[in-house]
């Protein structure tokens, strides 16, 4: 189940990049970010209240810090990057996560570095680099936009480390995700006030934009973060980060069909390489008895 959860989360993250790119045709960066968090937080707190899950302020501190980094700062950086570069480029830079996260998890959490995870990460990152270079050759990349995406990835690595600790000690992924989205909503609100003119937001909102923001918030944002917080209780941080490599390949056909971005032979080759990299750690586990989760 944790593996299926992360596969679904990767698919939803990929669709989020495509939907965000479309939303930026009518709205500015901070409006898109704020709208997504508003719908996500509303849905999650409704679920928390309906299921009557216990709340404690002492347990909220780490999830709030998680929300500040990701999706708070990450979304601002990624949406800003999407405004400058292609949806495929932003997606494939998530493939850097499996390279950084196991090392960070070893230094911060003391987790053992699985050699197969490192090998898979290197293969997946190689495929992602090929994919990004092929996309840049098609004239759909931007250096500063790519830099913003990389900064977002580094923030996401920090959140993954915090999330692993929270999942092990607290559980309740719905509550954790609700706190995350609440802090992210505050970050986006401050950004909107400081950067844009909120009075103009209502004039730009149309029915289609509202429905798209609802999807981006309640399904493409709240959904994968909930699934990831659930999976972090059962899988090491390095394994979770490895699934980030799938976001680019999954986004490529969506970008081609919905946004009209081009697909080249090199891009197809790169997708195959990325998928092989993601599969490597699990190939080594075939035939082994499952270890109980503690």
């Amino acid at each position: 189940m944790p593996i299926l959860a992360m596969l679904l989360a990767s698919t939803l993250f990929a669709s989020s990049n495509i939907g965000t790119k479309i939303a930026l045709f009518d709205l500015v960066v901070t409006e898109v970010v704020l709208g997504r968090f508003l719908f996500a937080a509303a849905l999650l707190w409704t679920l928390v209240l309906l299921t009557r899950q216990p709340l404690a302020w002492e347990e909220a501190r780490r999830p709030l810090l998680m929300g500040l980094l990701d999706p708070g700062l990450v979304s601002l950086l990624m949406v800003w990057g999407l405004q400058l570069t292609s949806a495929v480029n932003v997606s494939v830079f998530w493939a850097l996560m499996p390279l950084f996260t196991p090392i960070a998890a070893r230094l911060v959490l003391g987790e053992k570095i699985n050699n197969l995870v490192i090998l898979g990460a290197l293969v997946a990152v190689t495929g992602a680099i090929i994919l990004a270079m092929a996309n840049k050759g098609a004239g759909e990349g931007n250096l500063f936009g790519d830099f913003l995406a990389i900064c977002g990835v580094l923030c996401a690595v920090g959140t993954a480390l915090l999330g692993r600790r929270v999942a092990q000690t607290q559980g309740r992924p719905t509550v954790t995700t609700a706190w995350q989205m609440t802090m992210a909503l505050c970050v986006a609100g401050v950004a909107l006030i400081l950067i844009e003119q909120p009075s103009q937001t209502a004039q730009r909102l149309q029915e289609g934009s509202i429905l798209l923001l609802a999807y981006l918030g309640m399904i493409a944002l709240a959904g994968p973060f909930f699934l990831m917080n659930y999976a972090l209780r059962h899988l090491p941080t390095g394994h979770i980060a490895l699934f980030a490599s799938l976001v680019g390949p999954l986004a490529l056909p969506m970008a081609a069909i919905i946004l009209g971005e081009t697909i080249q032979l090199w891009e197809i080759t790169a997708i195959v390489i990325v998928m092989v990299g993601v599969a490597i750690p699990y190939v080594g586990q075939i035939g082994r008895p499952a270890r109980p989760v503690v």
Side-chain angles (χ1 to χ4, degrees):
M1 284 299 292
I3 293 176
L4 291 176
M6 286 309 302
L7 287 173
L8 179 56
S10 299
T11 304
L12 291 175
F13 274 131
S15 74
S16 177
N17 285 339
I18 306 302
T20 299
K21 189 77 174 181
I22 296 173
L24 287 169
F25 294 152
D26 300 316
L27 303 172
V28 298
V29 171
T30 50
E31 291 169 346
V32 174
V33 174
L34 181 66
R36 294 165 67 209
F37 293 154
L38 184 61
F39 279 107
L43 172 65
L44 288 162
W45 283 117
T46 299
L47 292 175
V48 170
L49 293 175
L50 289 176
T51 55
R52 298 182 179 180
Q53 299 190 45
L55 298 173
W57 174 249
E58 293 77 13
E59 296 182 350
R61 296 173 184 174
R62 284 179 176 173
L64 286 173
L65 180 56
M66 290 165 59
L68 174 64
L69 294 173
D70 188 12
L73 293 177
V74 169
S75 287
L76 287 172
L77 291 167
M78 287 297 177
V79 175
W80 189 7
L82 278 167
Q83 195 175 42
L84 301 173
T85 191
S86 73
V88 173
N89 274 28
V90 171
S91 297
V92 299
F93 275 107
W94 281 103
L96 294 172
M97 274 195 72
L99 194 61
F100 296 149
T101 306
I103 299 173
R106 173 63 177 173
L107 295 174
V108 178
L109 302 178
E111 290 187 357
K112 182 180 179 181
I113 299 180
N114 188 320
N115 291 332
L116 287 177
V117 172
I118 295 297
L119 176 60
L122 291 173
V123 173
V125 169
T126 299
I129 292 173
I130 294 173
L131 184 56
M133 294 301 294
N135 196 256
K136 187 176 180 61
E140 296 172 348
N142 176 277
L143 186 59
F144 184 61
D146 292 344
F147 171 74
L148 293 173
I150 293 174
C151 290
V153 169
L154 294 177
C155 290
V157 169
T159 300
L161 300 181
L162 281 169
R164 175 66 168 167
R165 185 66 74 204
V166 170
Q168 290 175 323
T169 57
Q170 299 178 16
R172 300 199 303 278
T174 307
V175 175
T176 298
T177 313
W179 284 121
Q180 275 186 271
M181 296 303 154
T182 300
M183 175 56 78
L185 180 62
C186 295
V187 172
V190 171
L192 179 66
I193 293 173
L194 295 178
I195 299 174
E196 305 294 342
Q197 297 180 9
S199 60
Q200 297 180 2
T201 299
Q203 301 174 8
R204 284 192 285 264
L205 282 176
Q206 304 294 328
E207 182 179 353
S209 299
I210 295 174
L211 291 175
L212 180 56
L213 289 175
Y215 168 79
L216 291 173
M218 293 190 289
I219 298 177
L221 183 66
F225 271 94
F226 169 81
L227 292 168
M228 187 167 62
N229 285 327
Y230 159 76
L232 278 166
R233 188 171 177 82
H234 302 275
L235 295 174
T237 313
H239 282 210
I240 294 294
L242 199 59
F243 284 90
S245 302
L246 288 177
V247 175
L250 289 170
L252 185 61
M254 298 181 192
I257 295 172
I258 299 174
L259 300 178
E261 295 185 1
T262 57
I263 298 181
Q264 303 174 74
L265 179 60
W266 275 109
E267 292 175 319
I268 298 174
T269 304
I271 288 174
V272 174
I273 295 174
V274 170
M275 295 182 70
V276 168
V278 173
I280 284 175
Y282 302 101
V283 171
Q285 296 176 7
I286 294 177
R288 295 183 183 178
R291 292 182 298 176
V293 177
V294 293

